[in-house]
Amino acid sequence: MCAATLIERNRIMAALTSHEAFCLANATRFVAVRGRTPRDRTRAEFDCLEAAREFAGRHGDGRTMVYGVTALGNSAHLENA
């Protein structure tokens, strides 16, 4: 896990629901998803929140959904990047 992720997690924790905060605090991976329909949808997995954001930033349109996923498979939408 990236060191910056821990700092970032603490910063945004207050703006999340309890489920989202749980998934962020216990995330083992982050998933970036793009595409409106299943036919057009792409997804990429990352170890760090920053890496998922960097991937999303390449598109520059703020339409990539970033999810936190726990080891047990719980997931929550954290942000659009």
PDB file of all heavy atoms in Angstrom, residues 39 49-51 55 65 70-71 76-77 80:
ATOM      1  N   ARG A  39     -21.219  -3.185 -22.489  1.00  0.00           N
ATOM      2  CA  ARG A  39     -20.465  -3.348 -23.742  1.00  0.00           C
ATOM      3  C   ARG A  39     -19.251  -2.416 -23.796  1.00  0.00           C
ATOM      4  O   ARG A  39     -18.198  -2.785 -24.311  1.00  0.00           O
ATOM      5  CB  ARG A  39     -21.392  -3.081 -24.926  1.00  0.00           C
ATOM      6  CG  ARG A  39     -20.728  -3.293 -26.268  1.00  0.00           C
ATOM      7  CD  ARG A  39     -21.622  -2.851 -27.382  1.00  0.00           C
ATOM      8  NE  ARG A  39     -21.742  -1.399 -27.292  1.00  0.00           N
ATOM      9  CZ  ARG A  39     -22.568  -0.664 -28.000  1.00  0.00           C
ATOM     10  NH1 ARG A  39     -23.382  -1.239 -28.835  1.00  0.00           N
ATOM     11  NH2 ARG A  39     -22.610   0.638 -27.868  1.00  0.00           N
ATOM     12  N   LEU A  49      -4.881   3.899  -3.969  1.00  0.00           N
ATOM     13  CA  LEU A  49      -5.890   4.864  -4.386  1.00  0.00           C
ATOM     14  C   LEU A  49      -5.289   5.859  -5.373  1.00  0.00           C
ATOM     15  O   LEU A  49      -5.917   6.224  -6.364  1.00  0.00           O
ATOM     16  CB  LEU A  49      -6.455   5.590  -3.153  1.00  0.00           C
ATOM     17  CG  LEU A  49      -7.522   6.640  -3.388  1.00  0.00           C
ATOM     18  CD1 LEU A  49      -8.736   6.031  -4.087  1.00  0.00           C
ATOM     19  CD2 LEU A  49      -7.938   7.270  -2.064  1.00  0.00           C
ATOM     20  N   GLU A  50      -4.050   6.273  -5.127  1.00  0.00           N
ATOM     21  CA  GLU A  50      -3.385   7.225  -6.020  1.00  0.00           C
ATOM     22  C   GLU A  50      -3.228   6.663  -7.420  1.00  0.00           C
ATOM     23  O   GLU A  50      -3.361   7.382  -8.409  1.00  0.00           O
ATOM     24  CB  GLU A  50      -2.014   7.642  -5.474  1.00  0.00           C
ATOM     25  CG  GLU A  50      -2.081   8.504  -4.242  1.00  0.00           C
ATOM     26  CD  GLU A  50      -2.313   7.681  -2.983  1.00  0.00           C
ATOM     27  OE1 GLU A  50      -2.145   6.444  -3.031  1.00  0.00           O
ATOM     28  OE2 GLU A  50      -2.682   8.275  -1.964  1.00  0.00           O
ATOM     29  N   ALA A  51      -2.920   5.378  -7.529  1.00  0.00           N
ATOM     30  CA  ALA A  51      -2.763   4.756  -8.843  1.00  0.00           C
ATOM     31  C   ALA A  51      -4.088   4.736  -9.590  1.00  0.00           C
ATOM     32  O   ALA A  51      -4.133   4.975 -10.801  1.00  0.00           O
ATOM     33  CB  ALA A  51      -2.201   3.348  -8.698  1.00  0.00           C
ATOM     34  N   PHE A  55      -4.815   6.736 -13.117  1.00  0.00           N
ATOM     35  CA  PHE A  55      -5.455   6.117 -14.277  1.00  0.00           C
ATOM     36  C   PHE A  55      -6.655   6.950 -14.725  1.00  0.00           C
ATOM     37  O   PHE A  55      -6.826   7.227 -15.910  1.00  0.00           O
ATOM     38  CB  PHE A  55      -5.889   4.693 -13.925  1.00  0.00           C
ATOM     39  CG  PHE A  55      -6.742   4.037 -14.968  1.00  0.00           C
ATOM     40  CD1 PHE A  55      -6.167   3.464 -16.086  1.00  0.00           C
ATOM     41  CD2 PHE A  55      -8.119   3.982 -14.818  1.00  0.00           C
ATOM     42  CE1 PHE A  55      -6.953   2.852 -17.053  1.00  0.00           C
ATOM     43  CE2 PHE A  55      -8.915   3.371 -15.771  1.00  0.00           C
ATOM     44  CZ  PHE A  55      -8.326   2.810 -16.900  1.00  0.00           C
ATOM     45  N   MET A  65     -15.263   5.972 -12.212  1.00  0.00           N
ATOM     46  CA  MET A  65     -15.717   5.655 -10.862  1.00  0.00           C
ATOM     47  C   MET A  65     -14.628   4.852 -10.154  1.00  0.00           C
ATOM     48  O   MET A  65     -14.107   3.888 -10.709  1.00  0.00           O
ATOM     49  CB  MET A  65     -17.014   4.859 -10.913  1.00  0.00           C
ATOM     50  CG  MET A  65     -18.152   5.620 -11.561  1.00  0.00           C
ATOM     51  SD  MET A  65     -19.599   4.582 -11.874  1.00  0.00           S
ATOM     52  CE  MET A  65     -19.007   3.579 -13.228  1.00  0.00           C
ATOM     53  N   THR A  70     -12.597  -4.619  -0.210  1.00  0.00           N
ATOM     54  CA  THR A  70     -11.944  -5.277   0.921  1.00  0.00           C
ATOM     55  C   THR A  70     -11.587  -6.721   0.558  1.00  0.00           C
ATOM     56  O   THR A  70     -12.021  -7.246  -0.469  1.00  0.00           O
ATOM     57  CB  THR A  70     -12.846  -5.298   2.164  1.00  0.00           C
ATOM     58  OG1 THR A  70     -13.950  -6.176   1.908  1.00  0.00           O
ATOM     59  CG2 THR A  70     -13.348  -3.899   2.525  1.00  0.00           C
ATOM     60  N   ALA A  71     -10.831  -7.367   1.433  1.00  0.00           N
ATOM     61  CA  ALA A  71     -10.435  -8.757   1.222  1.00  0.00           C
ATOM     62  C   ALA A  71     -11.654  -9.692   1.186  1.00  0.00           C
ATOM     63  O   ALA A  71     -11.619 -10.739   0.534  1.00  0.00           O
ATOM     64  CB  ALA A  71      -9.466  -9.198   2.318  1.00  0.00           C
ATOM     65  N   ALA A  76     -17.318  -0.299  -2.173  1.00  0.00           N
ATOM     66  CA  ALA A  76     -18.085   0.939  -2.106  1.00  0.00           C
ATOM     67  C   ALA A  76     -17.495   1.947  -3.086  1.00  0.00           C
ATOM     68  O   ALA A  76     -16.272   2.031  -3.254  1.00  0.00           O
ATOM     69  CB  ALA A  76     -18.053   1.527  -0.705  1.00  0.00           C
ATOM     70  N   HIS A  77     -18.382   2.679  -3.736  1.00  0.00           N
ATOM     71  CA  HIS A  77     -17.960   3.773  -4.605  1.00  0.00           C
ATOM     72  C   HIS A  77     -17.384   4.880  -3.725  1.00  0.00           C
ATOM     73  O   HIS A  77     -18.045   5.327  -2.781  1.00  0.00           O
ATOM     74  CB  HIS A  77     -19.177   4.283  -5.386  1.00  0.00           C
ATOM     75  CG  HIS A  77     -18.872   5.485  -6.207  1.00  0.00           C
ATOM     76  ND1 HIS A  77     -19.154   6.751  -5.763  1.00  0.00           N
ATOM     77  CD2 HIS A  77     -18.299   5.615  -7.427  1.00  0.00           C
ATOM     78  CE1 HIS A  77     -18.781   7.611  -6.691  1.00  0.00           C
ATOM     79  NE2 HIS A  77     -18.260   6.947  -7.715  1.00  0.00           N
ATOM     80  N   ASN A  80     -15.698   9.859  -8.043  1.00  0.00           N
ATOM     81  CA  ASN A  80     -15.494   9.937  -9.489  1.00  0.00           C
ATOM     82  C   ASN A  80     -14.236  10.765  -9.682  1.00  0.00           C
ATOM     83  O   ASN A  80     -14.086  11.832  -9.085  1.00  0.00           O
ATOM     84  CB  ASN A  80     -16.675  10.588 -10.197  1.00  0.00           C
ATOM     85  CG  ASN A  80     -17.872   9.681 -10.268  1.00  0.00           C
ATOM     86  OD1 ASN A  80     -17.815   8.525  -9.830  1.00  0.00           O
ATOM     87  ND2 ASN A  80     -18.947  10.182 -10.820  1.00  0.00           N
TER      88      ASN A  80
END
